[in-house]
Amino acid sequence: MSSDASNLSRVDPAFWREYHLCTLSTQRPDGSLHVVPVGATFDPASGTARVITNRNSRKVAHILRSADPAGARVALCQVDRKRWSTLEGRARILTDAASVADAVERYAERYGRTPSPNPDRVVIEITVSRALGRC
């Protein structure tokens, strides 16, 4: 599978509903990649992926530092043996209570548990522009 924003329908939505940990790649100030494990959700209808995290995390700092008006370039990947999927796009940080609550609900649906309350929780919202993979 390879697609662009006009062809995200090629992403296997069932694979993105299964329980898989993901990796999020952001760019450090020196240009090297920072890759960390995350829980993530993907809404194929809107082409939006979401990661909940702490506002003080390095990934949030990298996104805020490298973002232009369209957001910071990131990649979100998950793998299960021979199946894999990478979503590339632009990320921005959302801090409003409604966005955080929505992302937590989506996370709970995918991973079968609601995370503990965290007043420092934010959402990394990724507008997906390219999808790659083999599902």
Side-chain angles (χ1 to χ4, degrees), residues 5-44:
S6 64
N7 197 16
L8 288 179
S9 62
R10 295 187 64 188
V11 174
D12 181 0
F15 187 51
W16 280 94
R17 284 191 301 270
E18 294 172 10
Y19 188 110
H20 297 291
L21 292 180
C22 304
T23 59
L24 177 70
S25 299
T26 59
Q27 191 174 39
R28 293 185 182 106
D30 68 1
S32 64
L33 292 178
H34 179 249
V35 183
V36 294
V38 295
T41 61
F42 177 60
D43 176 8

Side-chain angles (χ1 to χ4, degrees), residues 82-106:
K82 291 183 178 182
R83 299 183 307 151
W84 62 276
S85 181
T86 299
L87 305 176
E88 298 177 3
R90 298 286 185 153
R92 61 190 184 121
I93 306 301
L94 303 180
T95 60
D96 64 283
S99 294
V100 172
D102 177 61
V104 167
E105 184 177 314
R106 291 170 187 270

